[in-house]
Structures are given as C-alpha cells and as structure tokens.
Amino acid sequence: MDEINKAQQEIAERATKKFREAFKGDPIVVRSPGRINIIGEHTDYNGGFVLPAAIDKAAYLAIALRDDDEIHLVAADLDENFSISLNELKPVGDVSWPNYILGSVAQFVKKEIALKGFNAVLISDVPIGAGLSSSAAVECATTYALSELMHTNLERLEMVKMSQTAEHEYAGVMCGIMDQFASMMGKQDHVIKLDCRSLQYDYVPFKLEGIKILLLDTNVKHSLASSEYNTRRKECSQAVSWIKEHEPRINSLRDVTEEMLDKYVLPKDKLIDKRSRFIVQEINRLQRACEDLQRGDIKSLGRKMFATHDGLSKMYEVSCDELDYMVEFVRNNDAVIGARMMGGGFGGCTINLVKEEAMDALIKDISLQYLKHFGKKPDAYIVSISDGTSRILS
Ligand code: GLA
C-alpha cells in the first residue's frame, strides 16, 4: 500500500472506531476529497470552463442506517454532536457542519427516494474555510454514502448536482458546479477540463516532472465570501441581461466577447463591466492554458496563473491583502512556475507550482516573512492529485 492509501486507511479506521464508541453496528466509510483548481476561477456559474482536481485531503463519513427516522451525527474532530428527525429536516442556524450533511439528505427526500434514519461520524482533514471545498467534500460523501446504503444506483453526475443543490439550499451559497464535480469525479494525477455549460469533461494528465503543488493558506477565513459571492453572480447576470437586449442569443458570459462589453455594458456601468470583462478574459485564458498544458509549455501556463490572480484581485475584486502578499512574494522567484489565489476568495489559499528542490526553502522563507508582516502564521500543504468520492472500508 502506498503512503497516501495508508494515510487514508488510517483515518477511515479512526472514523470506524469513533463510530463504534458512539453507536452500535458496523458502518461503511466513504471518502470524498477537497479540490484544487489550476485555472478558471468564477467561470463555472458563468457557463465557462474550469480545470480542477481532487486532492489527498478528504472528508470521511463512517455511516450506518438506523431502524427509525432519526439522524445522529458526530463531528469527531470538533467533538460536537447533532441530532434531528428525518421528518423535521431543515437548515440549522447556529452550527454549520450538520447543514452540509442535512442538505444532502434533503435532496433524497425531494426526489422521493426512500430513506431511513442513520448514524454517522464525520472526520475531515480538508482545512475549513481555506478555499479547498471542505463543504463540498462533506456533501459528496453524504450523498454517495446514502446512495450506497439505500442501493439507489444514482449516477455520479446526478449525485454531483444533488450535492451542489445541498450547498445552495442549506449553506445559502449559490455556488457553481466545480467543487462538487471535482470531489465526486476526481482522478489520480489528472485535472478535469470541465465545460460547465454542457458538463462534458476530459481528464488531462497533470504530473509535472520535478514540480509540486504547494498550497499556502493565509489563515484568513473567508467569512465574507458567501455574500460577496452571491453579489458577483448577480453582477455577471446583470451584464448578460444588458447584452441580451441587443443580442437575444446570449445566455451567459460564455458567449460574450469584449466587443459586446464595450458596446452594451461599459457605457452603462463601469463596475459591472470590470467584473464581466474578467470572466470573459478568464474563460479565454483557460482555453489557452489547456493548449499550454498539451504542448508541455508549463512556463506559459504559470504566467497565465499570475494573470488570473491579477484579474481576480483588480477586476473581480475577490482577493485580500494576505493573498496578494503571498502571490507578490513568489512572483519573481524562478522556482515558482505560477501562483494565484484559488477558489471563491477573500481568504483561503494560494496555489503555487513549485520546483521540488526549492520547496523547503520557499516555505521557510514565506512563513517567516508572512508572520512578520501579518502577525500570524500561514500553513503550507504540498498536495497530490487523488481519486474522487469512493467507499473505502465496509
Ligand atoms: C467557490 C464555488 C465554486 C466556484 C469557485 C470560484 O469554490 O463553490 O462553484 O465558483 O468558488 O471559482
């Protein structure tokens, strides 16, 4: 067994042990990973492309059915419990983690799929609030586990959509499909080029000789993110409706050109123009980045990652001082091929493609300088690309 599988097995065994301490019976364990995204940010809900991958950090759910309608949950790391009846399912205000589980349960109820109550223990090593989709990991783990236990034969894509709706309805974030798609559909050593309009996708090999993926966590929790996220969505759809008045075939920013923005959006509102122009550029940038990847021109891909960061920071305005600092810190370092903020924004991680031999020195250096500058420590995670949601113990 390789190191990664061994680590997964250990967490799964820990979840099973916790389950047996809290409940009776033998659980199954489902693992569902967090995600990274190489390029293509905020493009998913605009009908564009994204380039995510599942990582070797995941949510683990040890779960078994009950004979009644009750749901009993334990978050082992947080040492918190939560119970509710299936018949009283609703989002809970004061504790957040149960919502990701309950939101997924609610999708089965909506589809009128027969369900029973269940006991579950959650353990996750996806850092919370770090932009690595810890919530999507829990949603996908729950959806997959319930589907297994109830023998539903749901297709993976259907489970992706159910998990996304769980986030909309129980977390109030009108997210696109990227996070749940990457968690459920991830493939070891591959990124997923996903067309978020047609949902067609290709696995693109992503194992770069001598280069590793480093995530630098600002440790700024992105609490602003959900309200600002929903605002960005509205700004983009405002641009689409202005353009649609003149070009009725346009349904999303995917079909929009910068010329259309010049004509129909810029004269009306500079801010909306700036937001939507970033998206139009980012959708094009991703297409060209995929060509770079195909040609093996990793330097060119890296330059595009920096360009994405600049757009997210100055045009889409979803960055923060800490993220900007981290990207500036590595921008002229020859050992760093590309870097940018990742995910929804306002905190969380930067993603860096770093030459292996320079990794340790870089982490040491940036950790020290970041601490001096912001008075708090960053975290550093070297991640590898893993498979998506699966059952790992039974
Ligand atoms: C969050 C959302 C995703 C996506 C990213 C930004 O992670 O959940 O759907 O929009 O932000 O790319």
Side-chain angles (χ1 to χ4, degrees):
M1 206 186 296
D2 63 26
E3 284 303 308
I4 292 177
N5 281 330
K6 217 168 122 194
Q8 291 177 7
Q9 208 70 18
E10 271 170 24
I11 305 180
E13 277 161 20
R14 193 152 59 85
T16 307
K17 190 165 166 269
K18 290 271 179 197
F19 185 97
R20 294 212 174 104
E21 283 164 20
F23 310 109
K24 285 195 208 106
D26 279 321
I28 64 163
V29 180
V30 169
R31 168 191 182 273
S32 198
R35 62 104 190 90
I36 52 167
N37 184 26
I38 303 297
I39 199 162
E41 215 65 89
H42 288 272
T43 44
D44 59 352
Y45 56 84
N46 285 301
F49 292 86
V50 288
L51 202 62
I55 55 172
D56 54 342
K57 291 189 177 294
Y60 296 76
L61 202 65
I63 179 168
L65 294 176
R66 294 170 59 99
D67 291 329
D68 57 18
D69 284 342
E70 287 180 20
I71 298 173
H72 289 255
L73 308 174
V74 174
D77 310 311
L78 304 174
D79 209 10
E80 283 179 14
N81 301 334
F82 180 83
S83 309
I84 197 168
S85 159
L86 251 183
N87 312 316
E88 287 163 9
L89 215 55
K90 59 171 185 323
V92 287
D94 47 345
V95 244
S96 60
W97 63 269
N99 280 334
Y100 307 124
I101 297 178
L102 303 180
S104 302
V105 176
Q107 304 317 308
F108 286 79
V109 175
K110 257 189 14 200
K111 283 183 174 290
E112 298 181 4
I113 299 174
L115 261 193
K116 282 185 172 177
F118 59 89
N119 298 323
V121 170
L122 171 66
I123 295 186
S124 177
D125 64 355
V126 187
I128 295 171
L132 303 180
S133 299
S134 55
S135 59
V138 177
E139 289 148 3
C140 291
T142 309
T143 307
Y144 191 94
L146 290 176
S147 172
E148 286 278 293
L149 292 173
M150 299 307 298
H151 307 290
T152 65
N153 291 324
L154 283 168
E155 303 253 327
R156 272 184 190 253
L157 186 57
E158 192 56 36
M159 292 193 270
V160 168
K161 291 180 186 163
M162 290 164 76
S163 304
Q164 180 194 15
T165 311
E167 178 86 20
H168 290 182
E169 293 179 353
Y170 275 63
V173 181
M174 297 309 291
C175 64
I177 202 162
M178 171 170 73
D179 304 348
Q180 291 80 7
F181 198 101
S183 185
M184 188 72 79
M185 312 289 273
K187 181 171 167 179
Q188 190 173 1
D189 297 332
H190 290 74
V191 291
I192 310 168
K193 184 184 179 194
L194 170 65
D195 178 339
C196 299
R197 182 167 62 185
S198 67
L199 297 183
Q200 281 180 343
Y201 61 98
D202 290 311
Y203 291 111
V204 184
F206 198 85
K207 211 165 181 195
L208 308 173
E209 209 46 50
I211 293 171
K212 291 223 149 143
I213 302 165
L214 169 68
L215 306 179
L216 289 169
D217 189 348
T218 56
N219 279 321
V220 176
K221 301 294 168 208
H222 56 180
S223 54
L224 244 185
S226 48
S227 62
E228 287 294 324
Y229 186 91
N230 293 345
T231 307
R232 293 298 177 282
R233 258 197 105 125
K234 284 189 200 129
E235 288 165 347
C236 292
S237 56
Q238 176 63 74
V240 171
S241 49
W242 282 337
I243 297 167
K244 207 175 169 62
E245 286 169 13
H246 305 272
E247 311 252 1
R249 68 181 177 87
I250 299 293
N251 293 315
S252 71
L253 289 178
R254 164 76 172 272
D255 304 311
V256 168
T257 60
E258 291 205 51
E259 290 71 37
M260 290 180 199
L261 296 176
D262 292 341
K263 265 181 110 174
Y264 308 127
V265 179
L266 184 60
K268 282 200 191 261
D269 189 308
K270 282 208 175 67
L271 184 78
I272 306 262
D273 175 72
K274 204 159 64 158
R275 302 286 193 251
S276 42
R277 199 172 291 270
F278 165 74
I279 298 295
V280 171
Q281 290 175 357
E282 180 71 355
I283 293 173
N284 289 329
R285 191 156 36 229
L286 182 141
Q287 298 282 28
R288 286 183 289 116
C290 287
E291 292 162 15
D292 293 342
L293 208 51
Q294 238 158 20
R295 280 199 316 273
D297 189 348
I298 195 73
K299 280 201 171 146
S300 183
L301 167 72
R303 281 195 294 274
K304 292 189 180 64
M305 290 171 72
F306 284 113
T308 290
H309 181 81
D310 296 339
L312 286 166
S313 177
K314 299 195 180 79
M315 297 170 79
Y316 216 58
E317 296 181 282
V318 291
S319 187
C320 62
D321 289 349
E322 290 86 346
L323 287 167
D324 289 346
Y325 178 89
M326 280 183 166
V327 172
E328 285 325 306
F329 194 91
V330 300
R331 199 186 284 266
N332 296 316
N333 183 333
D334 285 343
V336 180
I337 313 298
R340 62 178 196 84
M341 58 149 282
M342 190 180 69
F346 301 102
C349 291
T350 62
I351 176 170
N352 305 260
L353 302 183
V354 181
K355 290 188 185 156
E356 240 168 296
E357 70 268 13
M359 185 67 89
D360 292 348
L362 172 66
I363 294 175
K364 220 168 139 188
D365 200 14
I366 196 163
S367 300
L368 196 72
Q369 296 308 325
Y370 185 89
L371 175 64
K372 269 194 198 157
H373 206 85
F374 293 106
K376 60 179 166 247
K377 276 195 183 154
D379 279 310
Y381 314 110
I382 300 167
V383 292
S384 49
I385 296 181
S386 86
D387 285 331
T389 316
S390 69
R391 185 166 160 172
I392 60 168
L393 275 186
S394 47

